[in-house]
Amino acid sequence: MRIINLVENELGSTGCEAAHGLSFYVETQNHKFCWDLGPGDVVLKNAQKLGVNLAAVDTVILSHGHYDHSGGILPFVELNPRAKIYIQQNAGGEYYAFDGESRMSGCNTPEEKSNFRYIGIDKKILSLPQVQLLKGDTKIDDELQVFTVDNRAFPLPSTNKRLREFCNGQYIQDEFHHEQNLLLTAGGKKILFCGCAHNGILNVMETLERKFGPASLPDLVIGGFHLMKRTEFSEADTKEITEIANRLKNYKAHFATCHCTGSAAFNQMKEIMGSQLSYVHSGDEIEV
């Protein structure tokens, strides 16, 4: 099995470009697939540098309906029109980030609306013939099982509260029903892929065990935890990150994180989790 990061936020040692987004290329006995395709054609450029033949990919799975994970889909399909692309049926929704002051609550005046930035997917993706729309949990085959978080046992991480959905004329809290996670069973290992874990990595882990049993718990978890902030961490932020790290430490899995976790949160978690936590840079290959 091979797992190669094609793009994420931080430069690695391979000469690959970094960009705000995420994409992994994975080779198993039965598949050559991509988990997300980054924010644009940078994924194609980095794949070429890494010797990854994207034309041979048979499957693409989109973690959720944000541009930084889906922007490479249209350039990809020009190179590879055959690969099936699996997305949740509501991944094409109207998803926004609120870039204004957090104290503003109504978010319906013209001034407030101007602080919203569209972060959803290019709607052209929805009309591609190779796109497969999924409704919740789906077993693609014996290697690939996608699942969604239906109920949260832990609070929504505070860094996700600025992410909204425009629905019925209102900007409401995004509940991330468009987000899916992937459990890969291959090579005698179970590997969990999350894009940003917008629902919270603790909820992703809890949901996996609740839906599929303790035997489904992974050996390796790969993806972002969406703990990045533009401002300094408050005392409440630090407490939240500490709790997440302490709870993750109770699992047997190794956690290879990247993208939206952010260096400040990663460093704080690393102090608690030690060798159980590592960072994946753009172009890195993960040893399994």
Side-chain angles (χ1 to χ4, degrees):
M1 188 190 313
R2 297 189 73 193
I3 303 175
I4 303 171
N5 179 268
L6 295 181
V7 64
E8 74 93 39
N9 298 38
E10 302 290 337
L11 285 170
S13 58
T14 57
C16 289
E17 295 181 38
H20 180 79
L22 189 65
S23 178
F24 282 95
Y25 169 78
V26 185
E27 285 185 14
T28 69
Q29 183 176 348
N30 299 327
H31 287 289
K32 293 179 179 178
F33 74 89
C34 285
W35 172 250
D36 289 337
L37 280 171
D41 65 0
V42 62
V43 70
L44 275 65
K45 298 174 186 177
N46 284 354
Q48 186 173 25
K49 289 179 183 177
L50 294 165
V52 171
N53 181 14
L54 291 181
V57 166
D58 56 77
T59 301
V60 173
I61 304 173
L62 178 65
S63 63
H64 61 294
H66 286 169
Y67 77 96
D68 51 330
H69 297 254
S70 63
I73 290 179
L74 293 178
F76 169 83
V77 298
E78 293 183 13
L79 174 70
N80 182 339
R82 297 169 299 280
K84 290 184 178 179
I85 303 172
Y86 294 94
I87 69 177
Q88 283 294 310
Q89 64 177 0
N90 46 7
E94 297 295 318
Y95 302 116
Y96 289 79
F98 183 52
D99 293 332
E101 294 294 330
S102 60
R103 66 176 180 270
M104 297 169 71
S105 57
C107 306
N108 292 305
T109 69
E111 181 183 12
E112 290 171 330
K113 287 180 180 179
S114 69
N115 289 309
F116 285 91
R117 173 172 49 93
Y118 180 71
I119 59 172
I121 69 173
D122 188 322
K123 296 298 194 292
K124 295 185 182 119
I125 293 170
L126 300 175
S127 62
L128 293 173
Q130 57 270 61
V131 165
Q132 310 287 307
L133 297 178
L134 306 180
K135 186 177 181 179
D137 304 348
T138 304
K139 183 176 181 179
I140 297 173
D141 58 29
D142 287 342
E143 286 192 344
L144 306 175
Q145 168 75 57
V146 299
F147 67 96
T148 61
V149 174
D150 49 357
N151 292 292
R152 290 193 286 260
F154 300 92
L156 185 72
S158 59
T159 46
N160 291 289
K161 291 179 179 176
R162 58 185 287 269
L163 301 180
R164 310 292 176 83
E165 179 181 5
F166 188 69
C167 185
N168 296 323
Q170 301 286 322
Y171 291 96
I172 62 174
Q173 173 67 58
D174 189 347
E175 294 295 339
F176 306 109
H177 299 305
H178 56 104
E179 181 177 67
Q180 60 185 358
N181 306 281
L182 170 67
L183 180 64
L184 169 65
T185 303
K189 301 289 185 182
K190 292 188 181 296
I191 301 172
L192 171 63
F193 287 86
C194 53
C196 285
H198 282 296
N199 277 290
I201 186 59
L202 296 180
N203 289 311
V204 173
M205 296 293 287
E206 186 277 334
T207 300
L208 176 61
E209 183 175 12
R210 171 169 48 84
K211 286 186 173 183
F212 304 108
S216 68
L217 287 173
D219 303 287
L220 175 63
V221 178
I222 301 172
F225 300 158
H226 208 269
L227 298 172
M228 180 186 293
K229 285 191 69 174
R230 297 179 180 179
T231 58
E232 294 290 328
F233 285 148
S234 66
E235 184 177 341
D237 295 330
T238 300
K239 182 178 179 182
E240 180 181 46
I241 293 167
T242 297
E243 180 180 359
I244 292 170
N246 280 324
R247 288 185 179 274
L248 292 182
K249 193 175 179 180
N250 292 325
Y251 290 100
K252 68 173 184 178
H254 179 83
F255 294 84
T257 195
C258 50
H259 178 41
C260 56
T261 299
S263 58
F266 171 79
N267 291 335
Q268 185 180 326
M269 296 177 74
K270 183 72 173 174
E271 290 183 7
I272 297 168
M273 298 177 67
S275 61
Q276 193 180 6
L277 180 70
S278 60
Y279 195 95
V280 182
H281 301 84
S282 189
D284 285 356
E285 182 163 355
I286 299 176
E287 292 185 14
V288 181

